[in-house]
Amino acid sequence: SLRELLRLYKLRAMKHLSQNFLLDLNITDKVVNHCGDLTGKTVLEVGAGPGSLTRSAFRAGANDVIAVELDERFLPALQILGHAVEELGLNKALHIIKGDILQVEEDKIIDICIGHAEPTPWDDDPEIAVVGNLPFGIATQLLVKWLRDIPERKGLFQYGRVPMALLYQEEVARVNME
């Protein structure tokens, strides 16, 4: 379980990285389901942490999950999850990218992990979705980055109208509402 992995690796949320964990798979399943039908799709996960949304993405039918995680403490837990996915032999894969989501070029990591994905007409159902329990410290910057990419259809948005299920901490919502 996620709690066991956190205990095994002595993982705790780090305040200076504005981390928080969502461990209830019933809730993470609901979050991921807001992206629609993920059967056969690729999911880009922002800040994978211990892999709670990762698991839910696979449970929702995703073929590939690209987990971008800055904190190297979580890499062993994600690798265990990746090995478990491989052992099931379901032709699914977890691709772990250690990096800062603000610095990576999403389209390039998608190409590296799953091969070249074709651009999608804006109104078609894209093969890419994004999920994330966003750290407080980057949530606004990341949203602004994506909003700037939409009109130019660059980065993620070359694949069309990419569905996203993003969790923001209450403090982010309050700051942005004032």
Side-chain angles (χ1 to χ4, degrees):
S1 75
L2 290 172
R3 290 185 198 286
E4 291 167 344
L5 281 174
L6 291 173
R7 234 176 292 144
L8 175 67
Y9 290 104
K10 297 179 174 116
L11 297 170
R12 282 178 283 198
M14 302 290 269
K15 189 173 185 174
H16 74 279
L17 294 175
S18 60
Q19 295 172 329
N20 64 79
F21 303 142
L22 185 55
L23 302 177
D24 186 334
L25 285 174
N26 292 316
I27 294 172
T28 58
D29 285 350
K30 287 178 184 177
V31 169
V32 167
N33 287 333
H34 281 285
C35 285
D37 183 13
L38 295 179
T39 304
K41 294 188 178 184
T42 297
V43 173
L44 175 67
E45 182 179 5
V46 177
S52 56
L53 289 170
T54 311
R55 292 171 190 233
S56 291
F58 282 123
R59 288 166 48 125
N63 275 1
D64 293 276
V65 175
I66 301 169
V68 179
E69 178 56 57
L70 177 64
D71 190 344
E72 63 187 39
R73 297 175 309 139
F74 294 107
L75 300 182
L78 289 169
Q79 289 167 344
I80 287 174
L81 179 55
H83 292 307
V85 168
E86 286 175 18
E87 287 176 10
L88 290 173
L90 300 175
N91 204 21
K92 297 178 182 268
L94 174 59
H95 309 273
I96 303 166
I97 306 292
K98 185 197 177 300
D100 182 344
I101 191 65
L102 292 171
Q103 303 301 318
V104 301
E105 295 180 56
E106 298 97 346
D107 55 329
K108 295 213 179 0
I109 62 172
I110 290 167
D111 286 350
I112 290 167
C113 293
I114 65 165
H116 183 68
E118 291 298 317
T120 306
W122 191 249
D123 291 328
D124 287 359
D125 187 26
E127 294 301 311
I128 310 290
V130 178
V131 298
N133 183 10
L134 301 180
F136 174 82
I138 68 160
T140 301
Q141 289 174 284
L142 185 58
L143 183 59
V144 168
K145 173 188 177 221
W146 285 334
L147 289 172
R148 287 184 177 140
D149 287 348
I150 290 171
E152 297 177 28
R153 296 220 35 203
K154 70 178 199 179
L156 285 172
F157 302 100
Q158 70 176 292
Y159 304 110
R161 197 178 302 205
V162 176
M164 297 182 170
L166 304 171
L167 296 169
Y168 289 85
Q169 292 179 27
E170 182 179 6
E171 297 85 356
V172 174
R174 284 191 179 169
V175 166
N176 291 323
M177 294 296 287
E178 293 176 355

